[in-house]
Amino acid sequence: MRTILVKKSALALLGVLALAACGGTSAPDEAGAGDATAADATQKAEPVEVGALTPRITLAHDGGITTIDSADGAVLGSAELEGYTRLGPAGDGRHVVTAGAGGFRIYDTGLYAQAHGDHSHYFTVDPALTGLQVEASEPGHIVPHGARTSLFADGTGEITTFDPAGLAEGTLGEVQTTASDAPHHGVAVPLEDGGMLRTEGTADSRTTVLVEDAEGNEIARTDDCPGVHGEAAAQPTESGDVVTLGCENGPVVYRDGAFHKVAVDGDYQRSGNQKGSEASPVVLADNKVEAEPAGGTEHPTSIALIDTRADTMRTVELGSTYWFRSLDRGPAGEALVLTADGELNIIDPDTGAIIHEVPVMGAWEEPEEWQTPGPMLAVADGTAFVVDPATKKLSMVDVASGEIYRELDLPVVPHEIQVTTGTASGEYDVAGEHAEGEGHDHEGHDHASDAGGAEEHDHEGHDHEGHDH
């Protein structure tokens, strides 16, 4: 393992942007660290101050990405991108990271809040690609956590970590790169204390998860996580971060500086897709129990709730199947699952009780190819954004009440979604007065936030071996 710190000031990076805009190229440093380049001219439109922010929905689709207004579905901006593009939250509530041809690119959804004493000012700008790019072979997981965001390149095993606070100034700030022992489909989670949790393995096998401190010294390791895939951050303890990972013999929990195995029934249990919440010590995950499913893909009807305090797991039977785009969390840690019977299930994570069953679309089947557009879910500041690509409809559901309060027609057939509100916390701030559980005015559209959340961190799916895309 090697860790390289590459410090780039805003002025230096702007020089790189100017060079790229003039047609020059930027050679990687000796370690290949970060490979942050500018493939597009940075947007120079002047921001406009507004009285309040309307959350924005960014959709990935064939040919690129499009951003719409959540109030009326109006198209605000778009960008053309070649090939299949995935989306992840950058971590600042404003920008989105795309993963596709050439690596990772930073897209500005064009809204932000600036604190000013006891209130805030709000600004908008047209959405556009920023010009910031991290070159990567087979770009994979995008994980914002704490004050940093990590990007994992499956083709090399290299991890690029940056501070999203600098994106508004046109820079990735201080970029850290970490090299794995071998290329593999992996993931890295930046920790609050400056350390990092990351996977090790090869293209054929991966069983190891380790944690390193800020200086790169190993402080914890487990080799008992075959097929490691899927990660989520839960409510932290007094000692720091709590992270779960899916394995093929039951999940593993990192807590209080050590790894803890979760006991499961049977020899095989895989939770390759997970969603966490810092409001809850319980992690929502899929629950696959067939090592060799008929047809190659298991279609479970039960979900797993992993208790990170006791290292235990309960299952909840939903009576209908779901897939990897079906999972997310509510503002109070509610577990949300979109099932193939067309219902949005809102679940108490502590008891497993179903609080609401909301009919949001017709019955559907999981696509044979994971890249094919299918029903999807994103949650932001009390609102669940539920997409039905077959009808090009988006329904907005209040998580607390289970009420559908708005429906939008979509201009594209999307395969991924991200929602931004302009605040890094993910809370929609109105005149500096919005607090959790307050100010949810449906007509005034005081719902929504960054769909990334704690995982938001969680860039799930994308597992060619287990088809947990």
Side-chain angles (χ1 to χ4, degrees):
M1 183 281 298
R2 68 177 188 275
T3 300
I4 305 99
L5 288 177
V6 182
K7 297 182 179 179
K8 300 177 180 177
S9 66
L11 180 61
L13 185 54
L14 287 174
V16 174
L17 294 174
L19 177 63
C22 294
T25 58
S26 175
D29 56 46
E30 292 182 358
D35 291 339
T37 64
D40 308 277
T42 302
Q43 182 186 52
K44 297 298 184 183
E46 290 295 324
V48 175
E49 185 167 4
V50 295
L53 297 175
T54 301
R56 295 182 170 185
I57 303 166
T58 299
L59 306 165
H61 53 86
D62 185 26
I65 50 179
T66 296
T67 299
I68 63 173
D69 193 317
S70 62
D72 56 13
V75 174
L76 302 173
S78 62
E80 294 183 1
L81 292 171
E82 295 183 1
Y84 187 79
T85 300
R86 303 201 69 186
L87 303 177
D92 65 347
R94 170 179 173 177
H95 294 82
V96 167
V97 182
T98 72
F104 301 95
R105 303 173 77 171
I106 306 297
Y107 178 78
D108 186 358
T109 67
L111 76 174
Y112 60 99
Q114 285 186 345
H116 190 109
D118 61 353
H119 64 283
S120 296
H121 291 264
Y122 309 99
F123 300 87
T124 63
V125 69
D126 292 338
L129 288 169
T130 65
L132 292 173
Q133 178 174 343
V134 175
E135 296 177 5
S137 172
E138 301 177 31
H141 283 249
I142 302 162
V143 181
H145 184 64
R148 297 180 297 157
T149 300
S150 73
L151 312 174
F152 200 100
D154 292 350
T156 61
E158 186 170 77
I159 303 158
T160 302
T161 308
F162 66 92
D163 181 354
L167 295 179
E169 305 300 326
T171 175
L172 296 177
E174 184 179 279
V175 177
Q176 174 185 338
T177 65
T178 303
S180 304
D181 288 345
H184 64 286
H185 178 59
V187 68
V189 181
L191 302 179
E192 291 280 3
D193 61 5
M196 180 182 292
L197 178 150
R198 62 185 182 88
T199 58
E200 281 284 7
T202 68
D204 299 321
S205 174
R206 52 187 190 273
T207 62
T208 299
V209 187
L210 57 88
V211 175
E212 296 165 328
D213 63 18
E215 285 71 45
N217 302 308
E218 183 176 312
I219 59 175
R221 168 187 290 258
T222 178
D223 297 311
D224 188 19
C225 192
V228 54
H229 187 275
E231 91 296 328
Q235 187 178 70
T237 66
E238 293 183 357
S239 300
D241 298 293
V242 175
V243 180
T244 63
L245 299 105
C247 317
E248 293 178 353
N249 61 350
V252 67
V253 177
Y254 174 72
R255 184 190 68 251
D256 301 331
F259 286 100
H260 308 268
K261 194 67 177 176
V262 176
V264 296
D265 295 331
D267 296 330
Y268 185 91
Q269 192 281 334
R270 191 172 195 272
S271 296
N273 300 286
Q274 304 189 0
K275 284 289 182 177
S277 166
E278 292 199 358
S280 171
V282 178
V283 168
L284 167 67
D286 54 358
N287 181 42
K288 295 190 174 182
V289 296
E290 300 177 16
E292 297 181 0
T297 302
E298 184 178 355
H299 301 282
T301 59
S302 66
I303 52 94
L305 296 172
I306 305 166
D307 190 331
T308 63
R309 298 162 297 188
D311 308 319
T312 58
M313 186 184 80
R314 80 163 72 220
T315 60
V316 178
E317 177 59 48
L318 299 176
S320 182
T321 63
Y322 58 92
W323 72 322
F324 81 98
R325 298 192 191 279
S326 294
L327 311 178
D328 217 320
R329 303 300 294 270
E334 301 95 335
L336 276 68
V337 185
L338 178 63
T339 45
D341 57 5
E343 291 189 343
L344 176 63
N345 299 268
I346 302 175
I347 304 166
D348 183 328
D350 294 317
T351 66
I354 299 178
I355 304 168
H356 300 294
E357 295 177 81
V358 188
V360 287
M361 65 179 68
W364 53 274
E365 294 183 357
E366 178 178 347
E368 292 185 6
E369 299 293 334
W370 69 270
Q371 296 95 334
T372 302
M376 69 189 80
L377 168 67
V379 179
D381 192 25
T383 292
F385 296 79
V386 184
V387 176
D388 183 359
T391 60
K392 295 176 66 175
K393 298 285 186 180
L394 183 146
S395 300
M396 298 170 66
V397 182
D398 179 78
V399 174
S401 67
E403 171 195 357
I404 300 175
Y405 67 88
R406 183 170 301 146
E407 293 183 338
L408 300 176
D409 293 319
L410 298 178
V412 296
V413 179
H415 58 257
E416 290 214 349
I417 178 175
Q418 286 289 311
V419 182
T420 50
T421 61
T423 61
S425 68
E427 293 184 355
Y428 184 57
D429 185 17
V430 180
E433 297 177 353
H434 176 74
E436 185 174 344
E438 301 176 357
H440 287 285
D441 177 3
H442 294 166
E443 294 184 4
H445 192 67
D446 294 351
H447 279 274
S449 85
D450 188 337
E455 287 33 78
E456 331 56 285
H457 73 104
D458 178 22
H459 185 72
E460 74 217 350
H462 198 66
D463 182 2
H464 301 288
E465 297 173 6
H467 193 67
D468 281 347
H469 300 280

